[in-house]
Amino acid sequence: MTMDAISSAPRSGPDQTPSDERMELIHEFAGMNGDYYAAQFDKIGNSTGFSWTFNLAAAILGPAWFGLRHLWHWGLPFLILEAFALVQLSRGLFGDLSATVRDRIAQIEFTLERRREQLADAIANNDGNVAVFERTIKSLEDAIGNIQAEAAAADAAGIWVALSGLAFLVVVKLAEGVSANTLLERRHSDWLSDRSYPAGISQLKTALSVAFVILIYAVSVVHYAFPGLWPMLARFPEHQAWRLTAINGIRDFFNYAVINGEWFFDSISYGIRVILDALEVLFVNTPWVVIAGIIILLTGLSAGPAAAIYTAAFLLYIGVLGFWEKAMTTLALLGTAACISICLGIPLGMLCARRQRLYAVVRPVMDFMQTMPSFVFMIPVIAFFGTGKPAAVITTMIFGGTPVVRLTVLGLRGVPEHVREAAIAFGASKWYLLTKVDLPLAAPSIRAGVNQTIMLSLAMVVVASLIGARGLGEDVLEALQYSSVGQGILAGFSILFCAMILNRIVQGKLT
């Protein structure tokens, strides 16, 4: 029990026993029928296994009871099940089960009428296709007869559909009544430990719960049992004029931003180009022996001799099959995007870890960056930066730059508070606390964030090739365009091996 729960609990006085105190807590939690729930909670608590109890109010009210008792995570599944049962019940009693079948008959009758007209024309013109049309008409008439029998069977099955819906509804009601007290007792235990959980019964929440459940039932039954009664239920009301206005507004905004912010976007492109050119000189123009030796050495120092041997084999594969230059171009592009993402992401994560308001602003932006499809945010990137490698770097940063921020925040917030308090008690400055306590303890999480940023950046290799980035993604894209299975597989393994090498360099040995 937390300190808040203890301090807010009623005190046992000379005339108040622990049992009386518990009864007051249950009455406070239940809001009404406290004696009933106290007896049920005692029965459940004294049982070593599942205690069979039945809550009649929960069975009658159904999901509305779970809603007013703040158990919506259980109420919603019951709501879906009850809605399905009511739909089946109403379809069987009032619905038109043969509507779809009759629609098929109408379509066939339309075709049949056309064939009869064609038959009449063929007879009038002494055409040789008379027999063909007669056979077609005969088969269509037989099909109509069979479908009419199917429609009659569907109408006759209405009572069974209704009975199955009723039976299913009864089963759901029994499940609600049997599980209600057990679920509420668990909620009561959580409430005793943390008083931030809502308790009691609010008239407003009760009214909203009942209204919500009735609305879902009514809409579901009307839509499925009486299709076409409310056409707006089948199609969301749309307003094309608003859509065109929004499209024109976005277009005008981008035109204004491109014209007036050209110097800003050009400066960003220039900065990216400087880093990218430097890395391309390092990876592409440097002799392959030097680059391969450095990569193998780094892998050996980070992950051990076995990983170094595997890295050598991977590099041999890349070089022998002619992917070396494109692989190095890919690493230069990836390195530019990853370096910028890491250099910006770690400091931003450090700020967000200690400033909750800043993180509340940054987190929705990162959610947007991660959930927006890559082909969508490529549109504004191309509008601002054009096509080419700078645009590919920015697209890669948007897609892969968020993990390092999130995991830096997670790692710094996971530093034990008592360790920080001990360091402060010994006179540690803010800089010492950051560099000698927070960052070392958060290093595994930060390193994982760096690794995830690199891996997600590498995953954008193929997509980036669509906007002018060269490298291994270009071979995969050509393989997709021309259905070259062999080229695509070989280039894909090269990308895979690059990812494995970088993963071992950053993460070190597997634990």
Side-chain angles (χ1 to χ4, degrees):
M1 182 180 295
T2 63
M3 294 301 297
D4 291 339
I6 295 175
S7 61
S8 60
R11 303 291 182 180
S12 297
D15 299 328
Q16 188 178 34
T17 65
S19 178
D20 295 334
E21 179 182 355
R22 182 174 181 277
M23 287 294 295
E24 289 184 6
L25 289 173
I26 294 178
H27 277 272
E28 179 184 353
F29 171 78
M32 60 183 300
N33 297 331
D35 293 336
Y36 167 79
Y37 287 112
Q40 299 302 318
F41 291 173
D42 286 339
K43 181 179 179 181
I44 294 171
N46 294 330
S47 175
T48 57
F50 181 78
S51 180
W52 291 94
T53 64
F54 189 82
N55 191 318
L56 183 60
I60 294 175
L61 296 178
W65 183 91
F66 289 87
L68 64 91
R69 287 297 182 181
H70 315 286
L71 293 169
W72 268 121
H73 55 290
W74 287 98
L76 286 177
F78 284 131
L79 175 63
I80 295 173
L81 295 176
E82 280 199 10
F84 174 77
L86 290 174
V87 165
Q88 292 295 94
L89 181 61
S90 58
R91 284 180 67 242
L93 294 177
F94 312 108
D96 189 357
L97 300 180
S98 61
T100 57
V101 179
R102 289 201 305 274
D103 290 339
R104 290 166 53 196
I105 294 176
Q107 294 175 359
I108 296 176
E109 287 178 343
F110 177 78
T111 305
L112 180 61
E113 186 65 26
R114 295 289 304 274
R115 296 295 178 266
R116 285 172 176 169
E117 293 176 358
Q118 293 173 347
L119 175 61
D121 292 338
I123 294 174
N125 298 327
N126 293 322
D127 197 342
N129 294 327
V130 172
V132 176
F133 287 128
E134 289 178 345
R135 287 195 300 269
T136 303
I137 291 172
K138 179 65 170 59
S139 64
L140 289 175
E141 290 174 346
D142 292 341
I144 290 176
N146 294 332
I147 296 176
Q148 287 176 342
E150 183 180 344
D155 290 331
I159 185 63
W160 298 107
V161 174
L163 290 176
S164 65
L166 179 61
F168 188 71
L169 181 63
V170 171
V171 172
V172 174
K173 290 292 186 182
L174 291 175
E176 291 169 346
V178 170
S179 62
N181 290 331
T182 301
L183 297 175
L184 190 62
E185 193 273 337
R186 295 177 184 174
R187 183 76 175 189
H188 175 252
S189 300
D190 296 336
W191 176 78
L192 290 176
S193 301
D194 185 359
R195 295 299 177 88
S196 64
Y197 285 97
I201 295 179
S202 168
Q203 293 182 353
L204 177 61
K205 290 185 177 180
T206 300
L208 291 177
S209 299
V210 173
F212 178 73
V213 170
I214 293 175
L215 176 64
I216 297 298
Y217 288 165
V219 171
S220 300
V221 168
V222 169
H223 177 67
Y224 288 103
F226 308 100
L229 183 61
W230 289 348
M232 65 173 297
L233 295 179
R235 184 180 179 88
F236 197 95
E238 58 186 23
H239 204 293
Q240 288 294 332
W242 292 359
R243 181 170 179 263
L244 294 175
T245 302
I247 291 174
N248 294 330
I250 294 174
R251 182 195 59 198
D252 295 339
F253 168 76
F254 274 96
N255 291 336
Y256 176 83
V258 170
I259 294 173
N260 294 275
E262 184 176 1
W263 62 272
F264 175 72
F265 300 119
D266 287 344
S267 60
I268 294 177
S269 297
Y270 176 77
I272 293 174
R273 176 65 68 180
V274 169
I275 301 175
L276 184 58
D277 289 343
L279 289 179
E280 283 187 345
V281 169
L282 174 64
F283 286 109
V284 179
N285 296 337
T286 304
W288 66 270
V289 177
V290 177
I291 297 299
I294 293 175
I295 293 175
I296 294 172
L297 177 61
L298 287 175
T299 308
L301 293 175
S302 176
I309 295 174
Y310 286 123
T311 298
F314 295 157
L315 294 176
L316 181 63
Y317 171 91
I318 294 172
V320 168
L321 295 182
F323 294 115
W324 181 266
E325 184 174 348
K326 291 184 177 181
M328 295 302 106
T329 302
T330 298
L331 289 179
L333 180 69
L334 167 66
T336 303
C339 287
I340 297 175
S341 298
I342 292 168
C343 291
L344 295 178
I346 292 179
L348 180 60
M350 293 166 60
L351 290 174
C352 292
R354 301 307 176 199
R355 291 169 175 80
Q356 183 64 33
R357 292 183 179 178
L358 176 61
Y359 191 52
V361 175
V362 172
R363 184 168 55 187
V365 177
M366 294 191 299
D367 293 339
F368 174 82
M369 292 166 61
Q370 283 191 304
T371 55
M372 179 66 71
S374 58
F375 289 100
V376 176
F377 58 68
M378 282 171 60
I379 297 173
V381 170
I382 294 174
F384 292 142
F385 300 96
T387 58
K389 292 182 179 179
V393 170
I394 293 174
T395 302
T396 303
M397 289 172 55
I398 294 174
F399 183 76
T402 55
V404 67
V405 180
R406 293 185 185 275
L407 289 174
T408 298
V409 173
L410 181 64
L412 291 174
R413 288 186 175 179
V415 175
E417 194 62 31
H418 66 273
V419 175
R420 304 184 79 250
E421 292 175 355
I424 295 173
F426 280 99
S429 63
K430 290 184 178 180
W431 179 253
Y432 184 91
L433 187 66
L434 176 65
T435 57
K436 302 298 183 180
V437 178
D438 290 342
L439 289 180
L441 292 177
S445 181
I446 296 174
R447 191 162 55 246
V450 171
N451 179 70
Q452 288 302 305
T453 292
I454 294 174
M455 293 299 105
L456 289 177
S457 299
L458 194 59
M460 286 292 291
V461 167
V462 179
V463 176
S465 65
L466 291 171
I467 54 176
R470 304 180 63 85
L472 294 172
E474 193 175 26
D475 286 293
V476 178
L477 184 61
E478 289 180 357
L480 290 172
Q481 292 174 338
Y482 301 107
S483 300
S484 179
V485 179
Q487 176 181 334
I489 295 297
L490 293 178
F493 273 111
S494 297
I495 297 174
L496 170 64
F497 293 153
C498 288
M500 295 176 66
I501 292 171
L502 292 172
N503 182 62
R504 293 278 60 81
I505 291 175
V506 175
Q507 287 291 86
K509 295 181 179 180
L510 291 171
T511 56

